[in-house]
Structure formats: structure tokens, C-alpha cells
Amino acid sequence: MLSLVTAAEHQYRHDVWTRDRDNALLASIREHRAAEAAAAPVVPSPVTAAPRAKRAAWPRPIGAHRGAEACTTVCATA
């Protein structure tokens, strides 16, 4: 029974130490990000280009070709 209590105390200390270390690391990351944000120059928003025009009113089916490239099954069997 005493070994269970000792093991539980060790586990508790380990968990507390790990949690404190993780919290310190997260706080350090927040401080670094805040310092970078404060030191960064104000950049104007990028200019966006006009949206692209649609090329077709509807998509072509897969395998469909345009104009002279198109060859029907009748053409292929002739």
C-alpha cells in the first residue's frame, strides 16, 4: 500500500512539473509572437486582381474535344 502512495506522489509531481513546463513554454511563445507583432511594420493589404471571367457557360464532358479534333464513332469505324 505504501508503494502505491509513493508511486502516486511521484506521478503527481511529474504531472505538475510537466504542466508547469508546458505552460511556461506556451507563455514564452505568446510573448515572442506579441513582440514580433509589435515590431512588425504595418503592411498595407495586398491588391487583389479582378476575378477571372468564366470560359464557358457549362463544363464539357470528360473526353469531349473541340472542332476538328472531334471524331465520332461513325468516323472511327468508317
Side-chain angles (χ1 to χ4, degrees):
M1 185 64 138
L2 185 59
S3 63
L4 292 176
V5 172
T6 304
E9 288 176 349
H10 283 289
Q11 184 65 43
Y12 175 77
R13 287 188 195 115
H14 175 74
D15 291 345
V16 168
W17 179 81
T18 304
R19 185 189 64 218
D20 291 343
R21 186 188 64 195
D22 290 346
N23 287 340
L25 181 63
L26 291 173
S28 174
I29 291 171
R30 278 193 299 270
E31 290 172 1
H32 283 283
R33 286 184 181 168
E36 287 176 356
V42 177
V43 178
S45 61
V47 178
T48 57
R52 298 177 87 181
K54 290 187 178 179
R55 294 185 180 199
W58 59 88
R60 292 183 302 152
I62 296 173
H65 300 285
R66 293 184 187 182
E69 297 176 9
C71 183
T72 64
T73 55
V74 174
C75 175
T77 57

